[in-house]
Amino acid sequence: MRYLWIMMLFLSLPGHAAEEYVPVDPKNQKAYIRLQDGAKILSGETSQAQWLRLCQGLGQNLLANNSSPGFLAEYLCQREEKEPAGAAEASWRITFITRPKFIDIDIQFQVKGQWTPVQTFSFHLEGEFLEDLQKASVLRFLSRMILESLPTGWIYTHKAGGKTTELIMHPDMPLLPEELLIYQLHFVPGRNLWLPRVKARLRRTQEFRNLEQGRAESFEWKRTYGTLKDGERYWIQNSEGRNQRQAEFEKKINGETQGFSLLNLLDRMLFESFTSNYAGLRYGHSFVQGDSVITQTSLISLLLELRSGPLSGLRWYYDLTPQAQQTRFGLQEHFEMSRASLGWAWEFTPPESWQFLISRIDLQPKIGLLNLESELAVQNSLGEYRLTRFEAKQVLNLNAELGLEKELLWMRSRLWASYSSAQAGLVQSNKVSVTSSRVGVDAYFDLMKRPGWDLKIMGFGFAERLSLERDSEDLEASASDLAIREFGFNLLFIGGGITISW
């Protein structure tokens, strides 16, 4: 039954006669191996030499020759991502795409002037990929993983006669699959359809020979479907399908590199989200009932979070509390405040046992400037209501924030707590200090995805303890003024906003 899908494709071939299908010839396949954003990455002679060694090493391992399996007759190394000039009619494009903390290897096939995606590998990357991937052993394992992922498989040259045939592998490679299929291949451009015509089935024996150029593994002929021509080239692949041994090659690659592991689609999308830069706007309103004008305030925030590139970790926030006014006890109260903060996020990955709850932990120290202007109605010791002014201009504000973040495929949530203090005396500020303690949660949801950027909506809520204090030396000497030296407010802000990430 495991061969049923292949036989069905084979039997369906005549049914596609009305469509144009292109033979994929094992004798003349050519690949263009290139680097996305090569102009930025290859800025020095050392990196250019590393890329050339990487590209040539991979290309050589993908060539079909007598000492190792391959699927190419020719390859060309490119230092940029421009379209190949005069690309062969049937050709391949292997592109290394570097992203923050991971790298894609994107493989496409061209026929009739149209490029078709075939396979993409994504790797988590901690080090320098030009340095790690140019190792000969890594390139051998990587090329083998690529070969076993493609519909072509690799090239087999038939030798007539005998009950067995030998296939040569590098000695540090795993043994070939237990069973292999030999086939011819056609491609239907309009439907992105690969059609194999199976010619034979092989089964590996327990015999192999060590040769100077590698290891010769013996395979016996289990069944043939038609005639195989002596000296003719065919395609050969694992009978159980593509990518069956990907985990095995990943383990080999991990053993040769540091911080280099294969990502599945979900992991890749999470890494893209983890390393996305964010800019956003949000609005919230106080929902605590109270008599003071402060409980009627709103909040407008701008935010910028850089999570990739040379400034990865940079955070900038601007919070504005627009002026709120009310008449209370015949007095006109008002309150407004703004705070700009610049900080840096130190990120930590939690233990694996915690990651079902927490994807990442970050600690953010921040520094900024605070402006405050308010007049609040208070009752003095004589029972009279008076306006008391609190004003601070360009006061140095210090802040520390701890965040616990959970990333899912379609949303990101963050639980956080912060403490900030803007102390009097650092600059001229009428000797007023402002302290704030906050605990809150943010949630971001995907709204729109486009190549290169995403749009998200967000909701947030936080509870705050806000304290205003004046230095007693700044007060008048009367006892009534000493009674209004300090205010404390409990606030609850709830709101939403929109962010763009790239």
Side-chain angles (χ1 to χ4, degrees):
M1 293 297 293
R2 60 181 172 180
Y3 309 113
L4 182 59
W5 64 275
I6 295 175
M7 298 305 297
M8 288 178 65
L9 284 176
F10 166 65
L11 293 173
S12 69
L13 187 55
H16 296 279
E19 298 180 273
E20 182 179 16
Y21 58 94
V22 179
V24 183
D25 189 351
K27 294 190 290 293
N28 63 359
Q29 299 300 305
K30 180 177 181 179
Y32 300 90
I33 305 175
R34 62 185 195 156
L35 181 64
Q36 182 171 298
D37 294 330
K40 298 178 182 178
I41 298 170
L42 306 178
S43 57
E45 294 183 2
T46 300
S47 59
Q48 291 184 27
Q50 289 177 331
W51 165 246
L52 189 59
R53 285 195 295 271
L54 189 163
C55 179
Q56 290 180 341
L58 180 65
Q60 288 295 321
N61 279 284
L62 294 176
L63 288 178
N65 54 58
N66 294 327
S67 61
S68 65
F71 82 114
L72 296 177
E74 184 183 357
Y75 71 90
L76 177 66
C77 291
Q78 294 184 302
R79 298 183 179 181
E80 52 190 16
E81 55 181 312
K82 292 181 180 178
E83 201 68 28
E89 178 57 33
S91 56
W92 298 81
R93 187 167 64 187
I94 302 173
T95 307
F96 287 77
I97 306 171
T98 58
R99 307 178 190 275
K101 296 187 180 180
F102 71 96
I103 182 172
D104 287 342
I105 301 176
D106 180 65
I107 304 170
Q108 298 187 14
F109 178 69
Q110 183 208 225
V111 67
K112 302 298 182 183
Q114 181 178 359
W115 290 100
T116 300
V118 178
Q119 178 69 49
T120 298
F121 293 105
S122 296
F123 294 91
H124 179 204
L125 181 66
E126 291 293 346
E128 295 292 335
F129 87 99
L130 288 175
E131 181 177 346
D132 286 341
L133 288 188
Q134 65 179 313
K135 297 177 182 178
S137 56
V138 174
L139 289 173
R140 283 195 296 270
F141 297 129
L142 181 61
S143 64
R144 188 68 218 171
M145 185 164 66
I146 289 174
L147 284 170
E148 295 196 17
S149 75
L150 300 180
T152 58
W154 62 101
I155 293 173
Y156 163 76
T157 303
H158 182 62
K159 293 181 181 180
K163 296 183 178 180
T164 62
T165 187
E166 287 187 331
L167 300 176
I168 298 176
M169 289 293 295
H170 193 278
D172 64 359
M173 284 290 168
L175 291 174
L176 286 167
E178 188 73 22
E179 293 191 354
L180 301 172
L181 291 177
I182 298 174
Y183 54 96
Q184 294 172 322
L185 188 63
H186 291 78
F187 179 69
V188 183
R191 300 179 59 186
N192 190 17
L193 184 63
W194 300 86
L195 299 175
R197 185 189 293 270
V198 178
K199 305 295 289 186
R201 177 159 59 96
L202 303 176
R203 175 173 293 174
R204 180 162 54 82
T205 69
Q206 299 303 315
E207 299 176 3
F208 61 86
R209 296 186 300 129
N210 291 319
L211 306 176
E212 184 177 348
Q213 69 270 34
R215 180 183 65 237
E217 300 182 34
S218 178
F219 284 79
E220 60 181 344
W221 297 91
K222 295 301 293 180
R223 189 171 180 181
T224 59
Y225 308 91
T227 303
L228 292 168
K229 297 180 181 180
D230 188 36
E232 188 73 17
R233 288 188 169 189
Y234 301 91
W235 297 111
I236 186 169
Q237 178 63 282
N238 191 341
S239 66
E240 296 189 357
R242 299 158 52 185
N243 285 323
Q244 295 301 307
R245 306 198 299 168
Q246 183 171 290
E248 190 172 359
F249 292 116
E250 177 193 1
K251 184 177 180 180
K252 293 285 188 181
I253 294 174
N254 287 345
E256 299 289 333
T257 60
Q258 296 293 328
F260 199 79
S261 56
L262 194 63
L263 302 175
N264 58 36
L265 176 62
L266 175 59
D267 291 335
R268 178 182 173 227
M269 295 181 72
L270 294 185
F271 265 100
E272 282 185 319
S273 184
F274 276 160
T275 57
S276 293
N277 301 315
Y278 287 87
L281 170 68
R282 64 182 189 175
Y283 173 83
H285 191 78
S286 174
F287 282 82
V288 170
Q289 298 296 319
D291 295 331
S292 173
V293 68
I294 294 181
T295 61
Q296 302 177 24
T297 54
S298 58
L299 176 70
I300 300 173
S301 296
L302 297 174
L303 61 95
L304 175 65
E305 299 183 2
L306 298 184
R307 301 186 175 204
S308 63
L311 295 179
S312 176
L314 185 68
R315 303 288 191 266
W316 178 81
Y317 305 95
Y318 179 74
D319 292 339
L320 172 66
T321 301
Q323 187 179 80
Q325 296 180 344
Q326 74 170 10
T327 300
R328 184 166 172 245
F329 306 117
L331 302 173
Q332 187 70 26
E333 287 187 319
H334 72 270
F335 180 91
E336 61 180 308
M337 185 172 68
S338 66
R339 176 164 46 198
S341 301
L342 186 67
W344 195 272
W346 303 95
E347 298 177 352
F348 309 92
T349 301
E352 187 173 351
S353 58
W354 296 9
Q355 291 182 15
F356 73 102
L357 286 176
I358 304 171
S359 302
R360 183 170 51 181
I361 303 171
D362 64 81
L363 179 62
Q364 298 183 30
K366 305 174 192 175
I367 188 171
L369 294 175
L370 178 140
N371 290 286
L372 168 70
E373 185 175 346
S374 67
E375 285 187 313
L376 306 174
V378 296
Q379 187 178 29
N380 62 18
S381 58
L382 301 178
E384 301 171 336
Y385 284 93
R386 297 178 50 188
L387 285 177
T388 298
R389 185 177 183 83
F390 285 79
E391 183 178 10
K393 294 183 177 180
Q394 301 296 305
V395 179
L396 185 64
N397 183 76
L398 302 178
N399 180 286
E401 182 174 308
L402 176 66
L404 306 178
E405 193 165 305
K406 176 61 180 177
E407 196 85 20
L408 299 175
L409 188 60
W410 51 278
M411 63 94 68
R412 175 171 67 97
S413 61
R414 183 170 181 268
L415 178 66
W416 55 272
S418 70
Y419 176 81
S420 67
S421 176
Q423 294 292 334
L426 294 174
V427 296
Q428 184 61 37
S429 60
N430 291 349
K431 299 183 179 180
V432 170
S433 64
V434 181
T435 58
S436 171
S437 300
R438 292 178 174 180
V439 176
V441 62
D442 304 333
Y444 301 79
F445 302 89
D446 291 337
L447 181 63
M448 181 186 305
K449 285 183 175 289
R450 291 292 184 269
W453 60 274
D454 297 339
L455 198 63
K456 300 179 185 293
I457 57 173
M458 69 167 299
F460 73 93
F462 66 85
E464 179 179 20
R465 174 64 181 178
L466 180 66
S467 297
L468 310 178
E469 184 176 357
R470 288 195 302 181
D471 194 321
S472 59
E473 295 180 359
D474 190 54
L475 300 173
E476 298 178 8
S478 68
S480 61
D481 282 327
L482 292 177
I484 52 175
R485 178 173 178 266
E486 181 179 2
F487 282 116
F489 302 92
N490 294 318
L491 304 172
L492 175 65
F493 283 91
I494 299 175
I498 191 166
T499 67
I500 184 169
S501 62
W502 65 96

